[in-house]
Amino acid sequence: MKKYILSIDQGTSSTKTIIFDESGNAVAKGHADLQTNYFDNGFVEQAPEGIYQNVLESIFLCIQDFLSKGFSIENIISVGISNQRETFILWDKAGKPLTPAVVWACKRSIEICQKLKGKNQEPFIKERTGLIIDPYFSATKLLWLLENDADLKMKLDNGEVFFGTVDCWLLWKMTNGQSFKTDFTNAHRTLLFNIHTLTWDKEILQLWGLEKLNLPEVCASSSDFGFWVLDLSNLDSIHFPKSKIPIQAMIGDSHAATFGEGCFEQGTAKVTMGTGSSIMMNIGDKPVLSNNGMLTTICWSTENRIDFAFEGAIVACGSTIEWVKNELGFFKEVAETEAMALSVSDNAGVYLIPAFSGLGAPHWQMNRRASIEGMTFGTSKNHIVRAALESIPYQIKDVINAMQNDMDSKLKSISVNGGLTRNQFVIRFLVDLLGLPLKKQQNPDVSALGAAYLAGLKSGIYESISQLKMLNQAKTEEILPDLGNHLVKKGYEGWIQKIQN
């Protein structure tokens, strides 16, 4: 009997559900867009029940696709979940949400973060969690809710508030409240989890008055999380008895992508090039605190192994190219930028510093503003487009350099994914600038693949990480650098001068 894994990739703007076979091939897919509410004051929220219904819609579309191809639902033996990180939900014992879901991008806790830093709490928090005090992480926004909702604060004091990231909420709903668990990667991104003891940090909870918050049991990413009773009554004209399927993986999406890309060893890294860019490098089985602007995070885990990572976030990646398109009007389709950049021999000294919302890792110049520098009367729109594209590899190089300095060792390999990997100018420039082979997978849905791999390890579909490594090698294209390309190195020297000004 062939065996399949159903993998749910719950993101900020949509949910994708993909069913993978024993070889890691996607055989069926479902996709459903998710409503996110953005407010003028920087608040970003979603409806908790809306998230769950969105996931169900995606699952049902995927299963319809699976059944239409002649497959049997009885052969789905495991479920994996990857999810948007830091977004959290509060609910009561009956499973009723107490507030909207507060999304990772929400900025409501800026003033609270400033107060906590003013009390000199950041060194303590960084030492315990490997993270910094920032609105990005869940706990600071939870503190805002408690400060601004007296009824919620009273419920907390009475021990009536349940807290969970999106994976935990989905698990609670899918198991009808029978399972209240999360994994190490999601727990860690709350700012309440001790990266050294791998437990909720009692001193942080006490410091912030959260001792009576109901927190989930924390497990390895590849574990038995509970059983999902699959009810197919929403599928028209399909009659099938209810199925009980084990949920055997939960992991944050960027971590899932790192696992899906095969970052199984110290010194292996992945770069996701989307609206922003997430760069994660496996640093081995012990946490190392960064002196160069990196976050220390939990990379992924199985029940007998846990790996840690450095993470660097670039604020503007694809969004820079969208800004040039929408505001400068230099092209109609992003696909045109490749030819425009190649139409000029170099950037002619023009640099676009994409600090539209400040510069992220490793610079953390959050008050800096974007600029285009080095222009003359000879500057054309093609030079500016090229400068915009070049800013992406330059920022990635900055992060990789910082990671290597923290590790005092060189990168072994790097994998790339995301929409901008289709731009051959960016990929060629990046590989030559880094001077390392780039690995690019055939499967673009690497977060879903990572969750499926982890579920497959627990269910026995996959025997070992060594087997997964072999599967990835068979599906990966390797792009080799031109070590004689001095133009990219000269360009990077100019970038460093501009950033340091």
Side-chain angles (χ1 to χ4, degrees):
M1 181 183 82
K2 285 194 172 182
K3 298 176 181 178
Y4 299 91
I5 302 161
L6 186 145
S7 185
I8 301 162
D9 181 17
Q10 201 298 299
T12 313
S13 58
S14 67
T15 300
K16 286 184 285 188
T17 301
I18 303 176
I19 296 175
F20 291 93
D21 66 13
E22 295 162 317
S23 299
N25 299 312
V27 299
K29 295 185 179 182
H31 175 274
D33 290 331
L34 175 63
Q35 174 69 38
T36 303
N37 299 312
Y38 294 90
F39 300 96
D40 292 341
N41 57 4
F43 288 23
V44 186
E45 298 177 347
Q46 292 173 336
E49 190 61 34
I51 295 172
Y52 179 57
Q53 293 302 323
N54 176 256
V55 168
L56 290 183
E57 181 184 355
S58 172
I59 290 170
F60 290 141
L61 290 170
C62 182
I63 289 177
Q64 281 183 318
D65 185 31
F66 186 67
L67 296 176
S68 72
K69 294 174 178 176
F71 298 111
S72 172
I73 202 163
E74 292 175 308
N75 294 356
I76 300 175
I77 69 162
S78 187
V79 174
I81 298 172
S82 114
N83 60 284
Q84 54 170 313
R85 305 180 301 170
E86 293 92 23
T87 300
F88 69 92
I89 295 111
L90 302 175
W91 65 93
D92 62 19
K93 192 174 182 179
K96 179 184 176 183
L98 299 173
T99 66
V102 183
V103 177
W104 59 270
C106 184
K107 299 296 184 185
R108 71 183 65 200
S109 61
I110 289 174
E111 288 186 10
I112 283 179
C113 291
Q114 291 170 342
K115 289 178 186 176
L116 298 177
K117 289 179 181 180
K119 295 176 181 178
N120 199 33
Q121 291 184 10
E122 187 160 70
F124 170 72
I125 295 299
K126 183 178 180 180
E127 191 279 326
R128 291 295 179 96
T129 68
L131 306 175
I132 59 174
I133 293 177
D134 190 89
Y136 186 53
F137 304 111
S138 314
T140 63
K141 289 172 286 204
L142 171 60
L143 294 178
W144 186 96
L145 290 175
L146 293 169
E147 278 191 11
N148 289 274
D149 187 335
D151 185 54
L152 181 67
K153 179 66 167 63
M154 183 177 69
K155 285 184 169 66
L156 174 75
D157 292 339
N158 292 332
E160 298 170 0
V161 177
F162 288 74
F163 170 97
T165 44
V166 169
D167 60 311
C168 182
W169 169 245
L170 293 178
L171 181 68
W172 178 283
K173 297 287 286 184
M174 293 168 78
T175 63
N176 296 318
Q178 296 301 302
S179 192
F180 184 42
K181 297 179 181 180
T182 189
D183 92 301
F184 289 132
T185 65
N186 281 295
H188 178 241
R189 308 298 290 195
T190 64
L191 215 61
L192 301 173
F193 193 75
N194 190 307
I195 202 170
H196 307 285
T197 64
L198 300 178
T199 58
W200 297 112
D201 194 293
K202 291 182 180 179
E203 289 187 52
I204 295 176
L205 293 169
Q206 186 173 20
L207 180 67
W208 290 344
L210 301 173
E211 308 99 306
K212 294 188 177 180
L213 186 66
N214 290 293
L215 292 165
E217 177 186 348
V218 187
C219 308
S221 306
S222 177
S223 297
D224 286 319
F225 287 96
F227 287 92
W228 174 40
V229 177
L230 174 58
D231 184 355
L232 293 180
S233 58
N234 287 9
L235 285 177
D236 294 336
S237 71
I238 294 174
H239 302 285
F240 200 88
K242 289 184 179 180
S243 299
K244 199 174 182 182
I245 307 176
I247 299 168
Q248 295 180 302
M250 298 205 307
I251 185 169
D253 53 10
S254 191
H255 309 263
T258 307
F259 196 79
E261 288 284 11
C263 298
F264 304 139
E265 302 168 14
Q266 182 178 330
T268 56
K270 71 89 188 176
V271 175
T272 300
M273 291 189 283
T275 303
S277 179
S278 168
I279 304 165
M280 199 172 282
M281 183 174 85
N282 188 316
I283 60 173
D285 61 0
K286 293 181 177 59
V288 178
L289 296 184
S290 171
N291 295 314
N292 291 281
M294 296 296 103
L295 301 175
T296 302
T297 192
I298 296 171
C299 193
W300 52 264
S301 58
T302 63
E303 288 178 316
N304 57 10
R305 176 175 169 181
I306 181 163
D307 282 32
F308 295 86
F310 282 140
E311 182 177 8
I314 293 170
V315 179
C317 185
S319 56
T320 301
I321 313 306
E322 286 294 322
W323 179 83
V324 175
K325 176 173 79 78
N326 296 333
E327 302 303 327
L328 301 185
F330 287 170
F331 49 86
K332 291 184 178 179
E333 301 294 336
V334 173
E336 299 171 42
T337 60
E338 184 179 325
M340 293 177 73
L342 290 170
S343 72
V344 291
S345 59
D346 58 28
N347 65 13
V350 178
Y351 290 85
L352 192 157
I353 313 299
F356 297 96
S357 300
L359 284 178
H363 310 290
W364 297 114
Q365 298 176 10
M366 301 318 290
N367 293 321
R368 186 161 183 159
R369 291 294 172 259
S371 60
I372 301 173
E373 302 184 23
M375 290 191 294
T376 68
F377 282 125
T379 298
S380 70
K381 66 180 181 181
N382 292 339
H383 289 113
I384 296 173
V385 167
R386 181 172 178 132
L389 293 177
E390 286 183 357
S391 73
I392 297 165
Y394 290 151
Q395 291 179 97
I396 293 169
K397 173 75 168 174
D398 289 343
V399 171
I400 295 296
N401 284 349
M403 288 179 171
Q404 292 184 143
N405 289 336
D406 276 321
M407 284 297 292
D408 198 24
S409 62
K410 290 192 175 181
L411 198 65
K412 288 182 182 176
S413 70
I414 188 161
S415 302
V416 292
N417 61 77
L420 273 168
T421 59
R422 291 190 292 270
N423 189 302
Q424 291 306 301
F425 174 82
V426 172
I427 290 298
R428 189 73 254 164
F429 201 96
L430 178 61
V431 70
D432 290 350
L433 182 61
L434 295 178
L436 285 167
L438 286 185
K439 295 180 179 181
K440 185 180 175 185
Q441 272 212 34
Q442 296 169 4
N443 183 353
D445 300 306
V446 288
S447 290
L449 180 64
Y453 276 168
L454 287 160
L457 281 174
K458 182 60 185 172
S459 65
I461 287 182
Y462 306 119
E463 295 177 1
S464 64
I465 286 176
S466 297
Q467 182 191 3
L468 297 179
K469 191 174 181 180
M470 288 171 45
L471 286 177
N472 267 19
Q473 286 172 348
K475 302 173 189 298
T476 301
E477 169 193 4
E478 190 169 66
I479 306 164
L480 299 175
D482 175 5
L483 298 178
N485 186 346
H486 300 294
L487 183 66
V488 296
K489 296 171 186 174
K490 181 181 177 183
Y492 185 62
E493 290 171 1
W495 165 265
I496 292 297
Q497 291 174 359
K498 299 295 183 186
I499 290 295
Q500 291 175 348
N501 286 346

